[in-house]
Amino acid sequence: MASFYGTTLPNPLMLGTAQYPSPAILERAFRESGAGVATVSLRREGAGRAGQAFWQMVQDLGVLTLPNTAGCHTVKEAVTTAHMAREVFDTTWIKLELIGHTDSLQPDVFGLVEAARILSEDGFQVFPYTTEDLIIGERLLDAGCEVLMPWGAPIGSGRGLNNEYALRVMRAEFPDVPLVVDAGIGLPSHAAHAMELGFDAVLLNTAVARAGDPVAMARAMMGAIEAGKLAHDADPIEARDMAEASTPVIGKAFLT
Amino acid sequence: MKIVLNGELREVAATTLSALLDECDFTGRVATAVNEDFIPATLRGSHALQDGDRVEIVSPMQGG
């Protein structure tokens, strides 16, 4: 397993905690899939003090916590949110999301690089939610990031890997950088695909939380991720255009 | 004084950020910002509130 800022993940599934039908189902999805990282967020604390109960449940899961800056549209907002997250969650990890487009939730990669530099210099360990653009990836590494998290497809779209070619190139370009496909996964086959390409982890939320049976889907995702990783490590064959007989021809009975 | 607490106008007696947390019964893990600037927990006691301040108090929440 790749090292994420010195931490080896228990497995390559990073699972979001939003949109589940109930806290009990969220808890079971984590426990039965074995996902080792939970993404979390910050919101205004309301009268019901729901945030404290949620935090207790996440702590009881015993998983690593990756806070995000979801919903931030400016560098200042993202940096301030990251500081608040570091204090509340007591971790230097931050999933840096800086949204540039309302409909696609495409990252504002220019602001992303700027925010990543500010946060890295301030001791944060930044997990940038980015596009598959190679130059942006290089800039993020220059800014201090040691992990890149390109999108597979827009958040919550379930479209899978929209640009497999670019993700494959990204893997080849950054062979020693931990890479995570973050967002767009809809099916276990999408997650397996990312792992077959050699990605180090997959981060997903909606595909599990909004499935008819989130617990079963979480288990399916973990199975697919493990299969994809195993397949990548097993060095798959190259695809070819024409058939190649698998059964040996030598020794075949002469019957015509 | 009047402040805006998590988007709602409030009349409060507190004059510091930590006193505001006590007055409004915020306990547990929260983080604070005043007028869009992060205020670390260690500085809440010395951070004086001004009339019209915009105070944000956030806590853990589900996220993707």
Side-chain angles (χ1 to χ4, degrees), chain A residues 166-255:
Chain A
L167 293 172
R168 193 185 290 277
V169 170
M170 198 169 196
R171 178 69 286 177
E173 181 70 13
F174 305 116
D176 301 320
V177 177
L179 296 181
V180 182
V181 167
D182 176 10
I185 300 296
L187 291 168
S189 53
H190 300 153
H193 193 181
M195 297 305 293
E196 286 166 2
L197 292 178
F199 276 71
D200 298 288
V202 173
L203 199 167
L204 57 94
N205 188 159
T206 308
V208 164
R210 300 291 289 273
D213 184 342
V215 178
M217 187 59 82
R219 291 176 58 201
M221 287 294 182
M222 181 60 92
I225 284 168
E226 286 176 346
K229 175 173 169 42
L230 201 56
H232 176 263
D233 294 348
D235 190 15
I237 63 165
E238 294 293 328
R240 48 188 292 146
D241 289 333
M242 301 303 285
E244 184 185 60
S246 52
T247 303
V249 176
I250 296 169
K252 179 182 175 296
F254 188 75
L255 301 174

Side-chain angles (χ1 to χ4, degrees), chain A residues 50-194:
Chain A
Q52 309 307 320
F54 169 69
W55 176 235
Q56 185 59 53
M57 192 201 69
V58 172
Q59 282 186 302
D60 290 345
L61 287 172
V63 295
L64 295 162
T65 309
L66 178 59
N68 68 28
T69 62
C72 291
H73 286 74
T74 67
V75 171
K76 159 95 166 133
E77 193 182 9
V79 169
T80 302
T81 301
H83 278 280
M84 296 172 110
R86 181 164 65 176
E87 190 171 86
V88 165
F89 295 108
D90 197 22
T91 175
T92 52
W93 282 13
I94 190 74
K95 174 184 163 179
L96 184 59
E97 276 186 60
L98 220 164
I99 301 304
H101 188 260
T102 306
D103 290 337
S104 66
L105 299 180
Q106 179 165 342
D108 168 3
V109 292
F110 305 99
L112 183 69
V113 171
E114 187 182 342
R117 185 178 306 282
I118 292 168
L119 291 171
S120 296
E121 288 174 355
D122 205 1
F124 284 86
Q125 295 173 314
V126 179
F127 293 63
Y129 165 62
T130 183
T131 65
E132 62 278 74
D133 189 291
L134 288 183
I135 310 306
I136 297 300
E138 286 178 4
R139 295 289 187 274
L140 287 166
L141 297 176
D142 291 344
C145 297
E146 295 179 17
V147 173
L148 297 174
M149 302 209 299
W151 63 349
I155 294 170
S157 68
R159 294 175 55 84
L161 309 186
N162 262 354
N163 193 346
E164 182 206 317
Y165 167 77
L167 293 172
R168 193 185 290 277
V169 170
M170 198 169 196
R171 178 69 286 177
E173 181 70 13
F174 305 116
D176 301 320
V177 177
L179 296 181
V180 182
V181 167
D182 176 10
I185 300 296
L187 291 168
S189 53
H190 300 153
H193 193 181

Side-chain angles (χ1 to χ4, degrees), chain A residues 41 44-45 52 68 76 88, chain B residues 29 37 41 56 59 61 64:
Chain A
S41 195
R44 285 170 169 170
E45 178 73 314
Q52 309 307 320
N68 68 28
K76 159 95 166 133
V88 165
Chain B
R29 283 182 179 256
D37 286 328
E56 294 287 333
S59 68
M61 188 59 70

